[in-house]
Amino acid sequence: MIFHGFLKELPRIPRPSRPAVIQLRRLSGEDGGRPLDGIRVLDLSRVLAGPFATMILGDLGAEVIKVERPGLGDETRRWGPPFANTESVYFLSVNRNKKSVAINLKHPKGVMVVKELARVSDVLVENYVPGKLSKLGLGYEQLREDAPRLIYCSITGYGQTGPYMQRGGIDTVAAAVSGFLHISGPEGGVPVRSGVAMTDLATGLFAHGSIMAALLQRARTGRGQHLDCNLLSSQVACLSHVAANFLTAGVEATRWGTAHKSIVPYQAFKTQDGYLVIGATNNDHFVATCEVVSLPGVARDARFATNELRVRHRKELVATLAARFAEKTTAQWLELFEGCPVPYGPINSMRQVFSDPQVLHNGLIQHMDHPTAGHIAVPGPPVRYGDHEKGYPAVPPPLLGEHTGEVLTQLLGYSDAAVAQLSRDGAVSL
C-alpha cells in the first residue's frame, strides 16, 4: 500500500513471450554465440558455492546480475590478505562476467526492485537460510506468481526441510558432517581439510548442472521450477565408491593419505626432491612400473601377481617401491616414465602448476584488466566449446554496485529521477 505512488513512476516490464523453439535455439547456440546468450541470471548468492555456479553460467554467455548489500557487498570482498590494491583476490577469483547492483533487501523498495528483476530473469540463484527470502516476499512460491518461467535455485547447508534446515552452512562443517573429513588425511593421522573448499565447489557444479537441465526442461514445458541444492547432499553424493563400500559391503572408511584403499600401487612416493604419484590400476601397469624402476623381480613375485594380492601385501610392496623412488629426483623419474602407459605425475606447487606446459597449452590462465586492482589473473574455464579453442573473452569482476544505475534504467526502464529517489531512500546504492 505504501508504494502505490512510487510504483506509478516505475514502469512494469511485461514478461517477454519466449516460445519453446526460441528458447531451445538460444540454448543450442545456433546463432553462433555463446551457449547461454540471451539467458539472464539474478544472483542473490554470496561467498563460494553460488558465485561459482553463476560464474560458470556467466562464462557461457548468461547475463549475471549480482545483488549485493550496499556498502558491504559479498562477504568475500573483505576476505584477505592477499588483496590486489583494495580488492580481495578471493572475490576476484569467482566473480568474473557479472554485473553488480547494490540493493538493500531490508528496505521494502529494495525488495520491490528485486521482484522486478526476477520478473525479467530466467534464473534466480540464492543461498539464504530456508524461509528467510519468503519472509521478504522473495520466496519461490511468491515469485512464480508473476514469473512462472523462473528457475529458482536455492543453495543451503542442509536442504529446504529436515532437522538441520535452519543451520548455517559452511564448507568445512558440511565436509565434516558428510564424512568427507573422515576420509581425508594421512593414514592413522588426524582429519584434514582439503586445500580448497571442495564441498562448496561440488555444490556449485551440481547447481550449475541442475540449472542447465531445468533450462532444457523449460524449453519443452514453458515452466520454471524450484531447485534444492545443498552442501551436505552434494558432498555425500561425491563419496562415490567409499560410500558404496559401506552401504553395500558394510566396510567402514579410513584415511589413506594419497594411497587408494582398493588399488596398489596408487599413491605418492617421495623422491630426492619432491613427490611422484603413480596409479598402476591393472596388472599391465604394475609390470610396466616395475620395468621403469628396474625391479623386474618384484613384477614376478607371486605375492604381487594380482591387484588383490598387492592390496593384501601392500606394506611390503610399498616399502620396496618407496626405497627405489627415493634414489632419484622427480625430474629424473619423469624422464624415465615418459611414454610409459602408467598414469604418473609430480605433486606440483602453484608456481609449477602455472608453468606446466600442459596447463599453459590448455589456456587455463585467464588475464583481465580490473579498474582498481589492475592486471589480474585467475584460473580460466576448463571447457572449450566448438571453434572457440581459446575460450571466450572475460569481463573482470565488478566493483560493488558498479551497474546499479545501468540495470535499473536500461533493464527495468526506471527514470533517472526514480533511481535517484531509490538511492536517497536507502533502497539502492549507486
Side-chain angles (χ1 to χ4, degrees), residues 413-424:
Y414 288 11
S415 67
D416 290 339
V419 173
Q421 185 63 53
L422 282 172
S423 180
R424 286 193 296 270

Side-chain angles (χ1 to χ4, degrees), residues 198-212:
M198 287 308 304
T199 302
D200 269 340
L201 296 173
T203 305
L205 288 169
F206 276 117
H208 152 254
S210 68
I211 289 167
M212 298 293 278

Side-chain angles (χ1 to χ4, degrees), residues 48-57 153 155 197-211 229-231 234:
L48 185 54
F52 185 60
T54 56
M55 181 180 71
I56 298 172
L57 299 174
C153 179
I155 299 176
M198 287 308 304
T199 302
D200 269 340
L201 296 173
T203 305
L205 288 169
F206 276 117
H208 152 254
S210 68
I211 289 167
C229 299
N230 68 82
L231 303 183
S234 296

Side-chain angles (χ1 to χ4, degrees), residues 192-383:
V192 174
R193 175 187 178 274
S194 61
V196 292
M198 287 308 304
T199 302
D200 269 340
L201 296 173
T203 305
L205 288 169
F206 276 117
H208 152 254
S210 68
I211 289 167
M212 298 293 278
L215 285 169
L216 285 171
Q217 187 176 46
R218 192 186 70 175
R220 299 193 302 270
T221 67
R223 296 190 301 272
Q225 61 182 293
H226 187 203
L227 305 175
D228 177 6
C229 299
N230 68 82
L231 303 183
L232 177 64
S233 296
S234 296
Q235 188 56 72
V236 169
C238 287
L239 293 179
S240 184
H241 67 280
V242 174
N245 288 345
F246 172 76
L247 294 171
T248 301
V251 178
E252 179 58 84
T254 56
R255 290 180 284 282
W256 285 96
T258 64
H260 195 291
K261 176 182 176 61
S262 303
I263 306 172
V264 177
Y266 189 143
Q267 66 181 80
F269 289 95
K270 194 172 188 329
T271 67
Q272 281 185 359
D273 61 351
Y275 291 89
L276 183 76
V277 177
I278 63 167
T281 58
N282 57 51
N283 288 340
D284 290 341
H285 285 175
F286 175 63
V287 171
T289 298
C290 292
E291 290 176 353
V292 171
V293 300
S294 301
L295 290 173
V298 172
R300 295 191 296 268
D301 193 316
R303 295 174 298 172
F304 312 135
T306 66
N307 181 69
E308 183 178 354
L309 290 170
R310 291 192 290 273
V311 171
R312 188 182 307 170
H313 299 285
R314 176 192 301 268
K315 289 186 178 179
E316 304 97 298
L317 176 56
V318 168
T320 300
L321 291 174
R324 180 53 57 92
F325 279 111
E327 295 175 2
K328 299 181 185 296
T329 65
T330 301
Q332 289 172 325
W333 285 121
L334 290 174
E335 185 176 353
L336 289 169
F337 270 92
E338 181 66 32
C340 176
V342 181
Y344 67 93
I347 294 182
N348 283 333
S349 66
M350 290 302 101
R351 182 176 297 279
Q352 291 168 325
V353 168
F354 292 107
S355 59
D356 183 280
Q358 189 65 51
V359 171
L360 295 175
H361 173 81
N362 288 359
L364 294 175
I365 305 175
Q366 189 159 56
H367 298 273
M368 293 173 284
D369 291 318
H370 190 275
T372 60
H375 178 78
I376 62 173
V378 298
V383 180

Side-chain angles (χ1 to χ4, degrees), residues 152-177:
Y152 190 111
C153 179
S154 295
I155 299 176
T156 59
Y158 301 97
Q160 294 295 306
T161 59
Y164 299 166
M165 62 176 287
Q166 289 299 311
R167 292 186 185 182
I170 194 169
D171 175 87
T172 304
V173 175
V177 177

